[in-house]
Amino acid sequence: MKVLVLGGTRFFGIHLVDELLKSNCDVTIATRGLTSDSFGNKVERIRLDRHDELSIINNLSDKYFDVIYDNLAYCSNDIEILLPHIHCGKYVVTSSTSVYNPLKGDVKETDFDSITYPYINCKRNEVEYAEGKRLVEAAILQKFNDINYICVRFPFVIGKDDYTGRLIKYIKCYREKKNLYVNNIKNKMSFVDSKEAGKFLAFLKDVNNFKGCINAASDGVLSMYEILSMLEPNKNVLDKNISELFLKKTTEIAPYNDVESYQINTALAKKLGFRFSNINSWIDLLIKDCIKEIIG
């Protein structure tokens, strides 16, 4: 299978490429060439600028791929300058559960309708992240619906290789007794492991009976309170530290703030045959890895 990955040099993009190589796919990664990778001669490489339509035309318009993975779509213009010039059997784009508004309760794919969402063509610096992802989906479903597409809606992706540093920020502040204002410490949220995110994307290459938007998340939900409790088994000490460090307003605002309690419903992905791990089976190891990184 001939596969192109737009954005395969960091985070879950690396895990996607690893999974594709395990399946003996002929993998090409397309980037600006600014980030090195460790794939050596296992992959082909195309250097292009995702934001430059002429660069896309010059590098992709004469090529065919069985599957194209797009991890670099953040606005409708990203779709409008790419899709007219690619040729593929399937187009898989990384979307986000941030498309849901509100993101609350048991969240199903039908809770956001990309087809009826008001469409505008915009660049990524013109809208905030969640709106950009809504417009990515709207662009595909409203303007390029003839393509065989899958829009994958991930929640917060976490892992040892998480370049955003969101989870480790909580752990670092707790361990180092630094203030961080958290306004939803006990709200339960969905997450997905970065390796599992890559594995699920790779799984979709062989799914032939589905076209549309799909949720992907590890089983189970956790609050930041529950995660911090893994650092401090004594509940009285934990509550005292959280009260002093995280519940007082400060200029340092926590990642994941303002998120209500929710759980991403993955029944559709499971129906297609994918089984997600439970977050409780790996979160403890991830926290230990975060601590190792903090200690240095």
Side-chain angles (χ1 to χ4, degrees), residues 33-48:
L34 302 179
T35 304
S36 61
D37 65 78
S38 59
F39 302 121
N41 59 7
K42 296 177 184 177
V43 303
E44 299 294 327
R45 293 171 184 80
I46 295 175
R47 181 172 293 190
L48 62 79

Side-chain angles (χ1 to χ4, degrees), residues 103-105 107 155-156 188-190 221 259-264:
L103 180 61
K104 183 178 181 180
V107 184
F156 298 120
K188 293 179 180 289
M189 297 173 274
S190 286
V221 289
V259 178
E260 299 188 61
S261 289
Y262 75 95
Q263 180 163 3
I264 296 302

